[in-house]
Amino acid sequence: MYIFLKDLQIHFYFIPLKHKNAMKLRIIYRIFWGLFFCINITLSAQNTSHNLSYLTNRFITFSKNFPQEKVYLHFDNTEYYLGETMWFKAYVVQANRNSLSELSKILYVELLNAEGNILDTRKLKIEDGQCNGEFDLQNYNYGGYYEVRAYTRYMLNFGSDNYFSRVFAVCDNPKTDGDYKSVITERPYSTRIPKIRKEYNQKEKLSVTFYPEGGNLVKRITSMVAFKATGSKGENATVSGEIYNENNELITEFSTAHNGMGAFSFMPDSGKYTAKVTYLNKNYTFSLPEIKPKGFAMSINNYIKDKVNICIQKSENQSSDTLGINIACRGFLYAFEKVVWNNDNTVYLTYPKNIFPSGVSQITLFNANGEVLSERMIFINHHSEMQMQVTQEKPTYQPFENINLSFSLTDKNNQPISTSFSVAVRDASLSPNNFYVNNILSDLLLSSDLRGYIEEPNYYFESDDKKHLQALDLLMLTQGWSRYIWKEMTNETPRTMSQPMEKGLYVEGTVKSLFRNKPKPNVSVLMFLTNDTTSQHGNTLTDEDGKFNFSITDFYGRQNLTIQTKENNKRKENNIVLDRMFSLPLKIYDYCEEKIPTNNITIGDTLTDSISEKSIQSDIVNEDSLIKERSLSEKIQLLNEVTIKGNKKWKREGEGLRDASIVYNVEKYADNLIDSDKNLSNNILEFIQQQNPYFSYDIIDNNHYLQGRYKNKNVIFCLDNNSLFAGISSINNKPMCTYDELSTLIIDQIETISINEQEGTSFLYSNSKIDSLTGSEVVVFIYTNQEFKSRNNVTGIRNTHFQGYSPVKEFFNIPPNTSTPNEYDHRRTLYWNPNAKTDANGNAVITFSNNSSCKTININAETVTKNGIIGTLNK
């Protein structure tokens, strides 16, 4: 037989042992087999080494081929009031260097309410990694905790947590001008809407989770174990406790050190270990993670100023195969080393910190098979951020006085930086600074690379003393998850991206057969994009997967889109599915995100002096009702966009939008169903019932009359502001309309549906009058599409709309020396500029007018440069 070992060829000949020189042959055999096994062992080690290097190269290749993006939004204020405008500046960076991204060119920013409905969306054009926009908050009649989230489509390829999110308190509009009291009137239970966002659900009054350093507890190896303790609402819990073995012997004690986190060390043996914990004078028992009979443990010392020490241990019964260790930051590899074991089963490694950038680094121990054996996060801060300074001419100001501010931006070597930055100047007495809010430095370097919500992220940047370093290390141990998954990055299977890296506006989609719904290649596709003044058109053929795309010239707003398919020069009925369905999961609010200190909280008609949090409502509302509401909400499909009340300029839908509890964009819903490759039901009553479980209806009197119910109240249907009674006001004292009038409508004809249930609201319609709602009636407004075109395929045609870039408004900064000041000017944001610029010397000067009451100001500026230098200022 032949065995080829690289360039070495060994020939084995089998010779009968009856030969007269059999003894000599046995000796020769032994020599050859000994040589063979020695070579085999050597080559096995070489193969192991090769595999470790190969896996590391796979990691590097993935990082190069699939660079990741991050988004950070800077806002003009820290909380908002109904009726105000929320202004923001977006910075889109390439994650590995935090440099302004040149990858994606479209950013999606969404405004959501606490119930989980998307209230508004901005589709913004990214230029040089930056863009800006706003949300108008005057269209909503209830405050609460609103979420703003932002992402590029390309970011969705890398996990459901890979996006920017921030929650704001949206307070009631002041009853008198300038009387800002942070009052939040949450939606009363009687006018509740379906809740899609799940709430934090922890059945136990205390939860304690244990996190062994590196991932595992291994028998007879001393390990550090971090823990995180939370109360029933998810709040940080201060606890103390003791660790016992299965013989009930005390092993060690522990207690929380910072924000519910703490740590202890011990050497586990076989068996189970139990933690007995004391919290609020009550005792609880928790089990520690399972003890592994063999394996590896990794401990890190990151407290030394200029170096990182790593200790890797293995159990005695664990094989001594050579391992690999990678150290990466934001998916970019900075160190790789082979771990070769010595006689005491312990390996010590030391790395200088200056080879790693500032931020969260990921240390991964792995074997030649690509299995992660241990993993740990560390944080390194070189304090290399930009130095942003501002000079005021005076500490206090008079009403309507000119305010002049001089900015200076330099790097760590005191060299000037010429760049753009966003700046907000606020009335200090009207715009509180929330202590736990992220800034661009803490977000890009810390929060965006860890799991979940980080409370008080700025705390970890205050100092490098022992107290802060220990708290930071606890954070790495308990929330040290990375968006950069090592196993995924080293996988040999080619990575496919489900979402594109958008470089501009494109109309993209797939043509499928009408009945079998299979992609159809070589179909002629014609595209027409029009509005009142311009048009774009084109034609192409579908590829082998039935896909087509058209590059669109940039435009702002929404235009009519018509897609037509032809086969053999004849229009052919097909399913035309547009590639625009992408979404994010709804996150569960953290306890701290709904724990913003306020003066007064109003829930329904009850006024309290308290801290605003979810628990208040649960004390007022019947628990059985809440359980029922949750069960109903689980059956609800999320609309892409709904509106909660609209105070718009008068138009046909004005009656329905005024004081509406909820407004459904039916046109968008229908498009989404088609683009999701789902069947579109044409029954408008079924649509309402599907979207809102509080609505039901009955058809009575030989299928002639329709009786609607909403939360056990009678429903009055109004079609295009015309009350539908058909001359009969009621049957058995219940409002009726003819079933035929609504059943003949198909969903293609409907533009919006709104539901109004506010007691005492008056309505006036073109052919009938209802003085006011009595509290036992609900009005459902149905508005048809006045320029009706079927969205379904009619002989190979799909009619829909295409959203271009969202128009961007400009903040009106009151110029200095205003001639006729408004004595009731109580602007909270005095100045907002998303694109202030420094000159070649790193200097910039801004000038604006004060309001009628401000004496002292807050100044907040943020930026990141093209080469990744981060700057933040809060004064």
Side-chain angles (χ1 to χ4, degrees):
M1 64 180 178
Y2 295 87
I3 298 178
F4 296 93
L5 304 177
K6 288 191 176 180
D7 296 329
L8 177 65
Q9 184 176 359
I10 303 177
H11 302 265
F12 292 92
Y13 298 95
F14 294 93
I15 304 173
L17 294 182
K18 293 182 179 180
H19 193 276
K20 62 179 180 180
N21 294 321
M23 183 61 68
K24 293 182 180 179
L25 289 174
R26 288 191 181 95
I27 296 173
I28 294 173
Y29 280 175
R30 290 171 183 171
I31 293 173
F32 269 105
W33 282 112
L35 176 63
F36 169 74
F37 283 119
C38 290
I39 295 172
N40 188 48
I41 292 172
T42 302
L43 291 177
S44 176
Q46 291 177 350
N47 288 335
T48 297
S49 178
H50 171 75
N51 287 343
L52 295 172
S53 299
Y54 174 76
L55 290 166
T56 298
N57 287 330
R58 290 288 307 168
F59 186 98
I60 296 171
T61 301
F62 185 97
S63 178
K64 180 180 179 181
N65 292 342
F66 302 107
Q68 295 196 35
E69 291 179 315
K70 293 183 183 180
V71 176
Y72 174 79
L73 264 58
H74 176 209
F75 296 87
D76 72 299
N77 225 308
T78 57
E79 68 177 17
Y80 291 93
Y81 291 78
L82 294 172
E84 290 187 326
T85 299
M86 176 188 292
W87 302 90
F88 60 85
K89 167 69 176 288
Y91 296 92
V92 185
V93 302
Q94 192 164 319
N96 59 350
R97 303 288 188 184
N98 281 329
S99 54
L100 291 174
S101 177
E102 294 294 333
L103 303 177
S104 296
K105 298 301 180 183
I106 299 178
L107 180 71
Y108 299 89
V109 187
E110 299 168 340
L111 176 68
L112 297 87
N113 61 10
E115 288 85 0
N117 295 302
I118 299 177
L119 304 177
D120 207 352
T121 300
R122 294 290 180 268
K123 183 178 180 180
L124 301 173
K125 183 177 182 178
I126 303 173
E127 297 181 283
D128 298 324
Q130 304 168 77
C131 55
N132 59 277
E134 80 295 321
F135 288 116
D136 191 346
L137 300 178
Q138 69 176 349
N139 299 328
Y140 315 115
N141 56 355
Y142 288 108
Y145 296 94
Y146 285 37
E147 179 190 7
V148 177
R149 61 188 191 185
Y151 57 92
T152 66
R153 285 185 67 177
Y154 177 67
M155 289 169 60
L156 304 183
N157 293 300
F158 300 97
S160 59
D161 294 333
N162 192 23
Y163 64 94
F164 173 89
S165 173
R166 179 167 166 184
V167 177
F168 288 93
V170 176
C171 307
D172 293 1
N173 208 345
K175 294 183 178 180
T176 59
D177 197 15
D179 186 22
Y180 296 98
K181 288 186 177 179
S182 297
V183 176
I184 299 178
T185 301
E186 296 182 337
R187 184 181 298 277
Y189 181 72
S190 60
T191 59
R192 65 198 181 280
I193 62 175
K195 190 165 188 175
I196 307 166
R197 189 191 303 274
K198 294 181 179 180
E199 294 185 355
Y200 183 85
N201 184 17
Q202 178 179 300
K203 295 180 180 180
E204 301 81 10
K205 294 186 180 297
L206 176 69
S207 173
V208 181
T209 307
F210 296 93
Y211 302 91
E213 184 176 17
N216 294 311
L217 287 173
V218 182
K219 180 180 177 181
R220 304 302 300 166
I221 297 181
T222 300
S223 297
M224 181 167 65
V225 181
F227 66 88
K228 174 73 173 180
T230 57
S232 59
K233 301 181 183 70
E235 74 278 14
N236 295 324
T238 300
V239 302
S240 60
E242 299 169 332
I243 303 298
Y244 291 85
N245 63 16
E246 61 183 5
N247 297 322
N248 204 30
E249 297 171 331
L250 176 64
I251 302 301
T252 188
E253 299 176 346
F254 63 89
S255 61
T256 51
H258 179 75
N259 282 353
M261 299 178 292
F264 57 90
S265 294
F266 82 117
M267 179 186 289
D269 208 326
S270 57
K272 296 182 179 180
Y273 288 80
T274 302
K276 297 181 179 180
V277 181
T278 301
Y279 172 58
L280 298 179
N281 297 320
K282 293 185 178 181
N283 298 322
Y284 301 84
T285 301
F286 301 91
S287 296
L288 265 63
E290 177 188 1
I291 310 300
K292 301 293 184 182
K294 64 178 182 177
F296 303 89
M298 180 167 59
S299 61
I300 309 294
N301 182 355
N302 193 31
Y303 297 114
I304 305 172
K305 182 178 180 180
D306 57 352
K307 60 184 178 180
V308 178
N309 289 334
I310 303 174
C311 175
I312 305 171
Q313 301 178 74
K314 75 175 185 67
S315 53
E316 292 183 359
N317 55 350
Q318 179 67 49
S319 63
S320 298
D321 296 340
T322 300
L323 305 178
I325 189 167
N326 280 353
I327 306 180
C329 181
R330 295 185 289 274
F332 189 85
L333 189 66
Y334 286 89
F336 162 69
E337 189 164 345
K338 295 169 186 174
V339 178
V340 180
W341 298 101
N342 53 26
N343 293 331
D344 61 358
N345 298 323
T346 303
V347 174
Y348 297 95
L349 303 172
T350 298
Y351 296 93
K353 287 186 177 180
N354 60 12
I355 69 173
F356 308 112
S358 294
V360 177
S361 287
Q362 176 180 355
I363 304 174
T364 305
L365 180 71
F366 60 98
N367 63 18
N369 295 324
E371 298 170 329
V372 175
L373 306 175
S374 185
E375 195 163 63
R376 172 76 146 86
M377 307 295 165
I378 61 172
F379 186 84
I380 295 173
N381 192 351
H382 297 300
H383 301 285
S384 56
E385 64 268 18
M386 182 188 306
Q387 304 302 309
M388 300 186 75
Q389 297 180 338
V390 63
T391 303
Q392 298 176 233
E393 292 180 331
K394 52 197 306 187
T396 61
Y397 300 92
Q398 297 298 315
F400 304 109
E401 184 178 2
N402 292 343
I403 299 177
N404 300 300
L405 301 177
S406 299
F407 290 85
S408 174
L409 278 61
T410 59
D411 63 17
K412 64 179 182 180
N413 298 318
N414 206 32
Q415 296 300 306
I417 296 178
S418 178
T419 189
S420 64
F421 64 100
S422 50
V423 57
V425 183
R426 304 185 287 261
D427 185 335
S429 65
L430 302 178
S431 301
N433 279 311
N434 295 325
F435 62 92
Y436 55 82
V437 170
N438 249 350
N439 60 37
I440 193 170
L441 181 69
S442 60
D443 187 271
L444 293 183
L445 294 188
L446 181 66
S447 301
S448 59
D449 282 337
L450 299 181
R451 175 190 285 120
Y453 180 81
I454 309 299
E455 185 178 357
E456 301 177 35
N458 291 337
Y459 172 84
Y460 303 104
F461 292 80
E462 290 178 351
S463 172
D464 288 337
D465 62 19
K466 184 177 181 181
K467 178 182 177 181
H468 285 76
L469 289 177
Q470 287 178 339
L472 185 55
D473 210 35
L474 288 174
L475 184 69
M476 295 295 105
L477 289 164
T478 58
Q479 292 186 244
W481 161 90
S482 175
R483 70 175 67 211
Y484 311 98
I485 303 173
W486 193 90
K487 285 278 290 183
E488 185 177 281
M489 297 177 72
T490 57
N491 198 327
E492 288 186 314
T493 303
R495 177 67 183 268
T496 57
M497 295 289 161
S498 60
Q499 296 296 334
M501 183 186 294
E502 294 182 305
K503 294 295 186 180
L505 298 177
Y506 291 89
V507 175
E508 300 174 287
T510 305
V511 176
K512 298 184 177 182
S513 59
L514 194 60
F515 298 107
R516 301 183 67 184
N517 205 33
K518 290 189 174 181
K520 298 181 69 173
N522 299 316
V523 175
S524 177
V525 181
L526 287 79
M527 180 277 298
F528 302 91
L529 190 65
T530 62
N531 62 10
D532 293 337
T533 57
T534 63
S535 67
Q536 300 184 54
H537 60 87
N539 62 82
T540 187
L541 290 175
T542 58
D543 65 14
E544 60 183 8
D545 296 318
K547 295 185 179 297
F548 64 88
N549 67 79
F550 298 94
S551 177
I552 302 299
T553 302
D554 288 355
F555 72 92
Y556 290 82
R558 193 175 73 154
Q559 293 189 5
N560 299 314
L561 174 63
T562 299
I563 302 290
Q564 177 180 297
T565 59
K566 285 186 176 183
E567 298 180 47
N568 299 320
N569 292 321
K570 293 181 180 180
R571 286 192 299 182
K572 177 76 172 179
E573 290 190 42
N574 291 294
N575 286 331
I576 304 172
V577 178
L578 295 180
D579 183 15
R580 54 184 178 182
M581 287 303 298
F582 50 91
S583 62
L584 294 168
L586 286 170
K587 79 170 188 177
I588 299 173
Y589 283 173
D590 187 89
Y591 173 81
C592 291
E593 292 178 294
E594 294 185 295
K595 186 180 142 301
I596 300 175
T598 59
N599 297 331
N600 296 298
I601 310 299
T602 304
I603 300 180
D605 298 324
T606 305
L607 183 65
T608 61
D609 292 322
S610 182
I611 296 294
S612 175
E613 57 186 58
K614 295 179 288 187
S615 60
I616 301 177
Q617 184 169 356
S618 63
D619 294 336
I620 297 173
V621 180
N622 182 277
E623 186 66 24
D624 292 336
S625 299
L626 282 179
I627 295 172
K628 181 179 180 182
E629 180 180 355
R630 291 190 192 106
S631 64
L632 288 172
S633 300
E634 291 173 357
K635 302 176 183 178
I636 298 165
Q637 288 187 353
L638 174 63
L639 282 179
N640 272 36
E641 189 169 304
V642 300
T643 303
I644 310 301
K645 187 196 171 183
N647 292 327
K648 307 273 188 186
K649 292 183 179 179
W650 188 92
K651 64 176 184 176
R652 182 175 61 100
E653 294 84 355
E655 289 289 342
L657 292 176
R658 180 171 56 87
D659 299 318
S661 297
I662 189 166
V663 180
Y664 293 107
N665 186 332
V666 181
E667 180 185 9
K668 184 119 182 175
Y669 167 84
D671 278 336
N672 288 349
L673 276 182
I674 296 172
D675 293 332
S676 298
D677 228 358
K678 297 178 180 178
N679 293 327
L680 177 61
S681 172
N682 277 328
N683 189 310
I684 193 63
L685 295 171
E686 289 182 3
F687 165 79
I688 302 174
Q689 193 171 42
Q690 182 183 30
Q691 298 307 310
N692 199 314
Y694 304 129
F695 172 81
S696 62
Y697 68 95
D698 292 310
I699 304 168
I700 61 175
D701 195 16
N702 296 322
N703 293 334
H704 188 60
Y705 292 108
L706 176 67
Q707 176 187 322
R709 301 287 290 169
Y710 189 80
K711 298 177 185 173
N712 294 321
K713 298 178 182 178
N714 296 325
V715 172
I716 300 170
F717 292 96
C718 291
L719 178 63
D720 292 331
N721 292 343
N722 296 318
S723 181
L724 296 181
F725 288 103
I728 301 176
S729 61
S730 65
I731 294 177
N732 296 327
N733 296 318
K734 296 178 180 178
M736 296 290 173
C737 72
T738 62
Y739 176 65
D740 293 341
E741 288 180 276
L742 288 183
S743 63
T744 55
L745 291 173
I746 62 174
I747 205 165
D748 274 356
Q749 295 173 266
I750 307 303
E751 189 169 291
T752 59
I753 295 175
S754 61
I755 300 174
N756 190 304
E757 53 182 323
Q758 293 201 28
E759 182 178 348
T761 304
S762 297
F763 297 93
L764 179 64
Y765 309 109
S766 60
N767 68 346
S768 62
K769 179 179 179 180
I770 302 174
D771 291 331
S772 64
L773 294 183
T774 63
S776 62
E777 299 162 327
V778 173
V779 179
V780 175
F781 294 88
I782 301 173
Y783 292 100
T784 58
N785 187 343
Q786 298 298 289
E787 298 177 358
F788 168 67
K789 291 183 179 180
S790 174
R791 285 182 288 272
N792 292 318
N793 282 291
V794 178
T795 59
I797 293 179
R798 167 97 186 266
N799 290 303
T800 182
H801 288 95
F802 184 82
Q803 179 65 49
Y805 296 116
S806 300
V808 177
K809 297 180 181 178
E810 184 176 349
F811 184 91
F812 180 65
N813 292 305
I814 305 297
N817 302 317
T818 304
S819 57
T820 55
N822 179 0
E823 60 179 322
Y824 300 110
D825 176 11
H826 297 292
R827 289 169 292 125
R828 296 192 314 123
T829 299
L830 305 176
Y831 181 88
W832 166 252
N833 188 346
N835 293 301
K837 290 181 173 58
T838 57
D839 58 21
N841 297 317
N843 299 323
V845 177
I846 62 173
T847 303
F848 55 94
S849 177
N850 193 14
N851 66 15
S852 61
S853 59
C854 174
K855 293 183 180 180
T856 59
I857 59 176
N858 286 335
I859 306 168
N860 179 224
E862 296 186 335
T863 190
V864 60
T865 66
K866 290 183 177 180
N867 56 354
I869 303 177
I870 302 170
T872 181
L873 181 150
N874 193 24
K875 180 178 180 182

